[in-house]
Amino acid sequence: MTDTVSRRSALRLLGGAIVVATAVTGDLTPPAHALDRPEAGAGPRVEGLVAKLTLDEKISLLHGATDPNSLGQAGYVPAVERLGIPRLRLADGPAGVRVTQHATALPAPVLLASAFDPDLARRYGQVIGREGRALGQDVLLSPMVNLIRTPYAGRNFETFSEDPLLASGTVAAEIEGIQGEGLIATVKHYAMNNQEQDRNSIDVRVDEQTMHELELRAFEAAVDAGTGAVMGAYNKVNGTFSCENKTLLTGILRDQWGFEGWVMTDWFAAHSTVEAITAGLDMEMPDGTYFGPALKSAVQNGSVPERYVDRAVRRILAVMDRFGLLDGSAPPRPDRDAPAGAAVALEVAKAGATLLRNEHRTLPLTAGGSVAVIGPTGALPFVSGGGSAHVVPDHADSPLDAIKSRAAKVTYSLGEDLFGKAIPADALTPSFDSEGQQVGIGKIWTYDGTLTVPEADEWTFVLHFSSAPTARPKVLLDGAELFPQAAGYGEFFTGGLVSAAPDGLSVRRRTLNLTKGSHTLRITAQGGAPGLTFRLRRSTGATRAQDVAEAVATARAARDVVLFAYEDATEGLDRTTIALPGHQTQLIEAVAAANPRTTVVLNTSSSTTMPWLRRTGAVLQMYYPGQEGAAATAAVLFGDCDPGGRLTQSFPVDDDHHPVADDPLRYPGVDGTEEYSEGIHAGYRWYDAEGVRPMFPFGHGLSYTSFSYEDVRARRTKRGIEVSFTVRNTGRRNGVDVPQVYVGPSPRLQLDQAVRVLGGYRRLTLRAGERRRITVDVTARTLSSWDRKRHDWVLGTGRRTVWVGASSRDLRLRTNVEVGK
């Protein structure tokens, strides 16, 4: 072995030999001798510590514990002070560091990926890396790189794309940025965690080719980028939980890819002791249910040889050593640089802003005109989605304020009421102040009366309360509880916007169709230790009609309308439809009918249906834009910058026309099992294979100028193929373009292949009239398919078609190239 061959490369070669040797049985479990070899990267310091650690000390490093001085982070592993092994603090952080202190609230990862810019992803990671260390953290529980497979998945905003190449480039660059600042990155959730519904139990059935060509490719890129840790997913893969799956944790991760870090569970995702540690799991989080006393007993009774414990400890310590945590060589913790973080947050939000439609020059807006701002998220900052992605931002301005600073005249109308209006006093018998009940410490307040409904109508009850979610008031209408406790962690995964009122009170809502007449209403509220404040409000058909009428009047009186629409996604909960929630569709239709110069700004987690599309002048997709979202949105609306984002996922026309529509076995699963029967034809590949037209295709995004592509040429190289062409800005403004290269199937492979796949891309900024010759490299990996018989990649040789386009459906140039070995 020459010095130029890395340990990771050597392990990958060994892994390939193991895979070939076991191909007959399909067992990807490593041979017994592989368990005894030293872990790559475990030097003398680590080996010396492993030899000195007691069994109890070793086990203490393999599971989470309670932090006696918590900083509000997600996880903690105690120190072994006797040997100078420091504690580890582990924080969530897909869009910024999630602790109780302020941090830069970056745009959602899906907005980052929309920029198609690995360098920007690297700087995004650098902000998180620096802030994580500044805020006392050692491990970041991010980035998430599961592919967007279904538009319903509640965490689509936390990840990057439906395309494995785009996801791979983005995650690798972000990890380099995070770890370059000295913070250990954790790529998650390994693997096939592509939905929130039944995520703790769903068994994903997926074939080897689909797994390697789609979901696993970005995880492999993360390993190649040197990620320190991998987080195992909740779900099963082919019958076995991810966190005890030998094929995933050892056969692929270690032996094929040569991963040198450690594997931890997602929180409470462990299901066993013996099976998990022998399969390759190293750390249980956040406690020691299986890797605490149970593991010690298993070692003592011989069911787990101690070398497995040593192996896990060695992996963890090796990463700590690599980051200078064992010998004190890690650089001092820096101070936060909030202005620098804010600058990157603003840049990312502007770069990822994706203009989906722009008719009759609706955008950009003119500074001297009159603008009507409509929608609740026009006046409320929408920073992030719910769950692990929530960050306490340094600040967050509203789009309304940002637009007021730019336009000569700005008016505002609510349009869609998120938090309800007061219940009329004469509707309650006996009456009580439903707008602000105070319950003293240790006191109990009760109400037993009647709610009178004047006409049959749809009512949305909205409860605002100051206590912890599990101690909120109990409200019964006609004997049925309006706001029952959600199961498990559901109480804590309620969204990033609609779960809190502007004054900070927690919010729950319930929509019912009520008949005319009297309804019994009973409320019990306990003050508890801190005391309690609560409000009970409602929205009805009548109040909604009034809100819409006011919005329409406001729209008619202005030259331009900017209508903010929302969808509030969160970890732990999938969407039930891709339609906008509430009555926003009717609001948009009414406003656009009153003023066709209506721009809809979408603060949504991923794709949404748009039955109102053709009535609007423009649609701007901003996802969850972080703390600088207002400034970024205003900058794009007024043309300070070109909307530089492109869609990282296909937007379907409706709920019936997308890859998992009308097939419950594909999603959400049947009797606990889900089949990825679409195979490699996910995302835009499915639309191409099935001949279905999306509303907006993968890669789509408009500019305030126009671009042309010319003179495409493709040639073979040692690494794959090289595609060159000329891009010209044909408009009168400077602008951003993202030309994309797609490659067709190989005629010589007798394997399932896509109609075309993304082969490469380039983000360009061109002055008006400027032309530039660019080259995009398509790697051999992109030109290869996974052969289930060989358990390996096979290069797709022969004559391949190459396209250059502005999206997966806007293909403007075409050529052919001969691919050979």
Side-chain angles (χ1 to χ4, degrees):
M1 185 185 301
T2 67
D3 291 338
T4 59
V5 179
S6 68
R7 283 192 175 97
R8 187 179 289 119
S9 298
L11 283 171
R12 183 164 299 189
L13 292 173
L14 173 61
I18 292 171
V19 170
V20 171
T22 59
V24 174
T25 64
D27 183 6
L28 294 179
T29 305
H33 69 270
L35 297 173
D36 299 320
R37 66 173 183 255
E39 289 297 306
R45 182 182 297 106
V46 170
E47 294 301 334
L49 288 171
V50 172
K52 294 174 184 177
L53 285 163
T54 66
L55 178 59
D56 285 335
E57 289 170 336
K58 292 174 186 176
I59 289 175
S60 74
L61 295 171
L62 304 189
H63 64 83
T66 300
D67 187 348
N69 299 294
S70 177
L71 304 177
Q73 78 280 357
Y76 174 79
V77 176
V80 181
E81 295 181 1
R82 180 178 71 86
L83 297 176
I85 299 173
R87 54 99 183 101
L88 291 176
R89 287 193 171 105
L90 304 86
D92 289 319
V97 183
R98 184 174 182 251
V99 292
T100 53
Q101 300 179 56
H102 288 278
T104 301
L106 291 159
V110 69
L111 186 54
L112 168 68
S114 299
F116 280 66
D117 188 346
D119 181 64
L120 189 58
R122 188 173 294 105
R123 288 187 284 126
Y124 183 99
Q126 287 170 345
V127 171
I128 299 176
R130 178 188 177 105
E131 293 205 344
R133 296 205 68 242
L135 293 168
Q137 304 304 304
D138 308 290
V139 182
L140 182 76
L141 305 172
S142 186
M144 175 180 173
V145 80
N146 302 102
L147 292 189
I148 297 175
R149 175 178 176 262
T150 166
Y152 304 117
R155 298 181 83 171
N156 281 348
F157 70 95
E158 282 191 61
T159 191
F160 300 122
S161 177
E162 69 187 22
D163 180 78
L165 179 69
L166 179 58
S168 296
T170 307
V171 75
E174 185 181 342
I175 286 172
E176 290 168 2
I178 293 165
Q179 297 195 153
E181 299 296 316
L183 188 68
I184 299 167
T186 307
V187 68
K188 64 184 187 182
H189 310 83
Y190 185 69
M192 318 312 292
N193 184 185
N194 305 115
Q195 67 189 59
E196 294 301 282
Q197 184 166 339
D198 302 323
R199 66 176 182 173
N200 293 315
S201 59
I202 195 72
D203 182 8
V204 175
R205 300 301 175 99
V206 56
D207 65 79
E208 259 190 57
Q209 182 183 4
T210 298
M211 190 160 56
H212 281 274
E213 291 190 22
L214 296 181
E215 176 88 349
L216 294 189
R217 186 169 177 184
F219 283 99
E220 184 180 4
V223 170
D224 284 342
T227 187
V230 170
M231 181 185 289
Y234 288 113
N235 52 281
K236 297 176 182 178
V237 177
N238 293 329
T240 304
F241 281 109
S242 296
C243 290
E244 55 190 51
N245 191 309
K246 286 186 180 181
T247 298
L248 289 177
L249 302 186
T250 297
I252 295 173
L253 187 60
R254 303 285 180 184
D255 296 327
Q256 286 183 25
W257 299 345
F259 176 57
E260 298 173 0
W262 88 82
V263 179
M264 71 180 79
T265 67
D266 204 336
W267 268 224
F268 303 104
H271 292 271
S272 65
T273 300
V274 177
E275 293 86 348
I277 198 165
T278 56
L281 182 69
D282 304 307
M283 180 184 287
E284 178 190 6
M285 294 301 293
D287 60 18
T289 302
Y290 296 98
F291 274 26
L295 179 57
K296 181 178 180 179
S297 297
V299 172
Q300 291 174 332
N301 67 28
S303 56
V304 172
E306 191 168 348
R307 71 176 185 272
Y308 284 98
V309 174
D310 292 346
R311 181 180 71 175
V313 170
R314 186 178 290 115
R315 290 168 174 172
I316 296 165
L317 293 181
V319 176
M320 295 177 68
D321 194 34
R322 172 182 152 198
F323 282 78
L325 299 178
L326 297 183
D327 64 354
S329 64
R333 292 191 183 274
D335 294 328
R336 281 193 64 216
D337 188 345
V344 172
L346 177 61
E347 183 180 359
V348 172
K350 292 192 294 187
T354 306
L355 185 61
L356 300 179
R357 173 180 171 85
N358 192 21
E359 297 296 317
H360 311 299
R361 297 182 180 178
T362 300
L363 293 180
L365 303 175
T366 58
S370 62
V371 180
V373 176
I374 295 172
T377 47
L380 290 173
F382 199 160
V383 176
S384 68
S388 301
H390 176 71
V391 176
V392 181
D394 287 312
H395 66 90
D397 298 329
S398 73
L400 176 61
D401 288 338
I403 292 171
K404 281 182 175 179
S405 70
R406 303 297 306 274
K409 180 181 179 182
V410 178
T411 53
Y412 174 72
S413 183
L414 180 64
E416 174 90 352
D417 191 351
L418 285 178
F419 302 110
K421 295 175 173 58
I423 298 176
D426 60 6
L428 297 168
T429 307
S431 63
F432 76 96
D433 182 9
S434 64
E435 274 296 281
Q437 280 297 320
Q438 304 287 334
V439 184
I441 297 173
K443 302 293 185 181
I444 297 177
W445 182 92
T446 61
Y447 174 83
D448 193 345
T450 300
L451 170 68
T452 301
V453 176
E455 299 292 340
D457 200 352
E458 179 187 278
W459 279 54
T460 296
F461 290 92
V462 188
L463 178 69
H464 303 216
F465 58 98
S466 62
S467 62
T470 53
R472 64 172 177 261
K474 187 173 184 179
V475 182
L476 284 80
L477 185 73
D478 294 331
E481 190 168 353
L482 286 181
F483 311 104
Q485 298 289 327
Y489 280 82
E491 280 298 323
F492 303 95
F493 296 138
T494 55
L497 173 75
V498 300
S499 62
D503 63 357
L505 294 186
S506 297
V507 172
R508 296 293 184 271
R509 51 183 47 76
R510 177 73 177 278
T511 299
L512 300 169
N513 288 312
L514 297 186
T515 57
K516 179 180 178 180
S518 298
H519 299 263
T520 61
L521 178 65
R522 294 178 179 176
I523 304 173
T524 303
Q526 299 186 11
L532 170 68
T533 298
F534 77 91
R535 296 187 288 259
L536 183 63
R537 293 180 171 179
R538 94 314 183 200
S539 295
T540 68
T543 66
R544 285 192 298 273
Q546 181 180 357
D547 289 338
V548 171
E550 291 175 358
V552 166
T554 303
R556 284 187 178 136
R559 179 180 187 271
D560 295 286
V561 176
V562 181
L563 193 157
F564 287 83
Y566 74 92
E567 173 261 319
D568 195 19
T570 182
E571 176 184 357
L573 186 68
D574 280 353
R575 304 159 72 184
T576 57
T577 175
I578 55 175
L580 290 171
H583 297 266
Q584 293 181 94
T585 291
Q586 294 91 319
L587 170 66
I588 295 171
E589 289 174 341
V591 168
N595 189 334
R597 292 186 60 82
T598 294
T599 296
V600 177
V601 178
L602 292 169
N603 292 129
T604 58
S605 63
S606 56
S607 59
T608 188
T609 56
M610 304 180 198
W612 37 261
L613 180 65
R614 295 190 180 279
R615 298 181 179 89
T616 61
V619 178
L620 178 64
Q621 177 63 250
M622 291 299 298
Y623 299 105
Y624 303 152
Q627 68 179 45
E628 306 299 322
T633 302
V636 174
L637 290 173
F638 285 93
D640 300 350
C641 61
D642 207 35
R646 302 296 184 265
L647 289 182
T648 71
Q649 59 205 282
S650 308
F651 274 32
V653 171
D654 54 37
D655 283 296
D656 298 322
H657 296 86
H658 56 75
V660 300
D662 300 321
D663 188 345
L665 197 53
R666 282 189 185 178
Y667 175 85
V670 176
D671 296 330
T673 298
E674 183 176 45
E675 293 183 358
Y676 283 25
S677 56
E678 73 275 14
I680 64 166
H681 305 288
Y684 64 88
R685 305 176 185 202
W686 179 86
Y687 289 92
D688 290 342
E690 299 296 324
V692 175
R693 184 175 181 176
M695 179 169 56
F696 294 113
F698 172 87
H700 172 73
L702 303 177
S703 166
Y704 289 149
T705 185
S706 55
F707 299 90
S708 67
Y709 305 151
E710 305 164 354
D711 189 21
V712 62
R713 299 177 187 179
R715 69 180 187 89
R716 287 172 52 188
T717 67
K718 292 182 179 179
R719 297 185 58 192
I721 61 175
E722 182 182 271
V723 182
S724 59
F725 52 95
T726 299
V727 182
R728 184 163 64 97
N729 182 341
T730 57
R732 297 180 180 180
R733 295 174 55 106
N734 301 342
V736 175
D737 191 34
V738 183
Q740 301 148 43
V741 172
Y742 293 86
V743 182
S746 163
R748 297 179 184 170
L749 284 184
Q750 301 302 308
L751 298 170
D752 196 14
Q753 298 179 75
V755 173
R756 65 183 62 87
V757 300
L758 181 68
Y761 53 88
R762 180 71 61 83
R763 182 182 178 89
L764 300 172
T765 301
L766 298 180
R767 298 185 303 275
E770 181 182 2
R771 69 172 66 218
R772 189 180 304 171
R773 188 75 180 172
I774 67 168
T775 299
V776 174
D777 292 321
V778 182
T779 66
R781 172 59 63 84
T782 299
L783 297 169
S784 301
S785 296
W786 183 267
D787 190 330
R788 282 177 274 182
K789 294 181 180 179
R790 299 186 185 185
H791 303 287
D792 204 354
W793 293 96
V794 180
L795 181 66
T797 57
R799 193 170 181 82
R800 308 283 294 265
T801 302
V802 176
W803 293 268
V804 176
S807 76
S808 65
R809 288 297 179 97
D810 185 2
L811 304 171
R812 303 179 186 180
L813 300 177
R814 176 174 173 168
T815 189
N816 295 291
V817 63
E818 191 72 24
V819 176
K821 294 185 178 180

